[in-house]
Amino acid sequence: MFYILQDIYGVKLTETSFANENTPKLDFVFDYQGILSYLIMPFYALMTWVLFLDKKALNYTEHLVANAYIVGQVTFVQFLICIPLFGFFDVSYEPVNGLILLFMVAYQFYALKKIHQINFFESLIRALAYFIMLIVLMMGIGIFIAIIGFITGAIKPEDFLPPPQ
């Protein structure tokens, strides 16, 4: 999907409201997104396993499988939405990606609500806690990618300087 969006439709996946022309482009993240999804999956499973420890309905491995199914289903829906959406309309990737992330977490906790047989309020509280954990995880991954970028020379400190006037 990212290949089609980036290379065929010309969607700027790394362009955000916070970026400028000096912001390093991290296109390799989209090039290897499939592999990165598999590498992140154990963290998703760990977070949901911790959030549902009191229910003991699933062990860690079962949370890993459940999260893999959920992410797979959401990715399929994302593909079905994004390919025609970006093919027919000139929309920014950033807000669409944000909505898909919200949908993913909502669907994930809908599925986990059904598995663990909890009420809506319990599910909502756990989903909010998951969102906080997800933000911390994504910030950690971003810092890790930045460190790798600095070590390899793909990112330089001068990339963050304001553009010359």
Side-chain angles (χ1 to χ4, degrees), residues 140-164:
I141 290 171
I143 291 168
F144 178 74
I145 289 171
I147 289 169
I148 297 297
F150 280 117
I151 290 171
T152 62
I155 301 173
K156 298 172 187 62
E158 48 273 5
D159 290 337
F160 297 96
L161 294 174

Side-chain angles (χ1 to χ4, degrees), residues 83-103:
I83 295 301
L85 178 69
F86 289 103
F88 293 120
F89 304 101
D90 185 26
V91 294
S92 175
Y93 179 73
E94 185 179 3
V96 172
N97 189 46
L99 288 173
I100 289 172
L101 178 63
L102 283 173
F103 168 74

